Each structure stands twice: as C-alpha cells, then as structure tokens.
Amino acid sequence: GEDVEQSLFLSVREGDSSVINCTYTDSSSTYLYWYKQEPGAGLQLLTYIFSNMDMKQDQRLTVLLNKKDKHLSLRIADTQTGDSAIYFCAESFGEGSWGKLQFGAGTQVVVTP
Amino acid sequence: GAVVSQHPSWVICKSGTSVKIECRSLDFQATTMFWYRQFPKQSLMLMATSNEGSKATYEQGVEKDKFLINHASLTLSTLTVTSAHPEDSSFYICSALKGTSGIGTQYFGPGTRLLVL
C-alpha cells in the first residue's frame, strides 16, 4: 500500500478555508512537500516544511506538521476557483537517497462558487 | 527561479517505434533528474533516477532496456521509450533536483503525454 496517504476528494466553497490532510510513514524524512497539479500539467511546488518545524505559513498557505503522529496538513485560506486542482503531499527519503520523493495518491480539490 | 521544460508536450506514435522525451533545467544545473509516469487519476510513479555522467538507477519493475535514460549534461536528461506499445501510453513527467542530495528540492516539468497507436 501507499506509504503516504491522503484523502482522495475535497469539496469547498469559494471563500472558505480548505484543509488537506496527509499521513506519512518514514520518520527519517527530511522535508515534506505540497505540490499542486492542474489538469494536463506537471507539478507545481507550493510549499515545503523541514521536519524539525511545526508550522510554516506562506501567504494563504499554512502547513502544519505533527511529527509524533506523522501527520501533515495544508490549509488554504480564502479558497478561490483557481485553487481547484489535485494536491499531492510528498515525503523525502532519508539522507543519501538522492532527493527521491514518495508521493501520496493526491487529493482532488473542487472549489464551488 | 527554477524552471524545467519538457519536449515534446505530447506525441502520438505507431506501435513499435521509439520516442525520445527531453527534460531540461533552464536556469539551474541539475546533476540529478527523475522520471515519473502517471496514469489517469493516480499518483506519480517513480521510474528512475538520472544522474549526470553515470548510469540511471531504475526502480523495481521498470525495464531499463525499454526506458533508456541518458543524462548527458547538467541541464539535459532524455528518456527514450523503445519499441513503444499501447500499454506505454501514459503521462511522463520529469523533475530536476535543485540543491544537493537530501536537502534539494524537485522542480517538475510540464509533462509529456504519449499515445501509442
């Protein structure tokens, strides 16, 4: 099964906050990432958090990391229709892994007017 | 910035032919690039790690003779799908690692959609 797990779908109204959750298994992960994929496109790096941090905020995005529970979340404030996309969380493998990432299955976020 | 391009963006080919996909890091050098495959509504599956000046490292279950990878320079990696068959039809995405191993960040290309008839 997946080492990184995400819920598959989230529907949110425009203007509300979205919270996307992710759980991972590798406690030696150095960084955890959130990527956004729009239809037919590659992945866009949204934000990342170093494993010794609890929280990182970047404009409308807030990342929370609970290392004890291996739980990562992405909160998008004031969600807009342009935020509709698939969001992938990813964990880096340990040191010496040449930057390899393990991706979750992705969460489809649909923003409704 | 960290921009990664792929060419072509889409390709249709006949069964049995070979297709080459290029991945370029436009504004940074990348000793390591990655090739992924993505099926509809699924996550990215890592196929191989491409290292400049050395042989690629393939993930389990990926045929190295089928998917040839050449990382000839610090800004270019190519993936050649040899003797393509319809089951090779997929969305292929590359990424380039900016920074050093373990603390670098992957930046992704826009993907190449391959359809084998």
Side-chain angles (χ1 to χ4, degrees):
Chain A
E2 294 281 349
D3 292 329
V4 179
E5 295 188 354
Q6 299 179 238
S7 52
L8 295 182
F9 184 80
L10 175 68
S11 179
V12 62
R13 286 192 175 180
E14 191 175 8
D16 288 350
S17 292
S18 312
V19 179
I20 308 167
N21 294 301
C22 170
T23 56
Y24 62 98
T25 57
D26 187 352
S27 58
S28 66
S29 295
T30 310
Y31 285 91
L32 295 128
Y33 299 83
W34 284 104
Y35 285 90
K36 176 184 180 183
Q37 185 181 35
E38 296 182 80
L43 273 67
Q44 173 195 355
L45 176 64
L46 285 179
T47 187
Y48 62 90
I49 188 167
F50 190 48
S51 58
N52 69 353
M53 296 171 65
D54 298 323
M55 185 182 87
K56 180 178 180 181
Q57 187 156 1
D58 184 0
Q59 298 182 337
R60 292 191 298 123
L61 305 178
T62 303
V63 179
L64 294 178
L65 174 61
N66 181 330
K67 199 170 180 181
K68 174 176 169 288
D69 295 336
K70 297 189 182 68
H71 183 265
L72 181 74
S73 68
L74 174 69
R75 178 177 179 271
I76 305 173
D78 186 25
T79 311
Q80 304 297 307
T81 54
D83 295 324
S84 293
I86 300 176
Y87 291 79
F88 292 94
C89 76
E91 60 172 342
S92 62
F93 283 62
E95 186 65 35
S97 63
W98 298 103
K100 285 171 66 172
L101 297 177
Q102 177 74 48
F103 284 88
T107 299
Q108 172 89 53
V109 173
V110 174
V111 182
T112 57
Chain B
V3 180
V4 177
S5 70
Q6 278 184 246
H7 178 79
S9 55
W10 60 270
V11 57
I12 301 173
C13 69
K14 290 183 178 179
S15 188
T17 60
S18 293
V19 174
K20 180 187 282 189
I21 303 169
E22 293 184 348
C23 178
R24 292 181 187 272
S25 55
L26 298 184
D27 52 0
F28 66 100
Q29 293 184 329
T31 55
T32 303
M33 293 184 176
F34 299 91
W35 287 97
Y36 296 85
R37 185 172 179 177
Q38 186 181 32
F39 293 101
K41 299 188 186 303
Q42 292 188 29
S43 187
L44 279 71
M45 182 191 79
L46 178 65
M47 298 174 67
T49 303
S50 171
N51 297 302
E52 188 267 338
S54 64
K55 290 184 179 180
T57 305
Y58 290 81
E59 295 300 301
Q60 193 172 8
V62 179
E63 299 175 60
K64 60 179 70 176
D65 294 330
K66 173 77 171 175
F67 299 100
L68 299 179
I69 291 171
N70 185 357
H71 195 147
S73 77
L74 288 172
T75 59
L76 173 65
S77 175
T78 60
L79 169 69
T80 301
V81 183
T82 62
S83 186
H85 290 282
E87 58 265 29
D88 299 324
S89 298
S90 193
F91 192 50
Y92 292 88
I93 304 176
C94 75
S95 70
L97 186 66
K98 184 175 182 181
T100 58
S101 167
I103 58 173
T105 299
Q106 289 189 37
Y107 291 90
F108 285 79
T112 296
R113 193 162 299 281
L114 170 63
L115 177 61
V116 184
L117 301 177

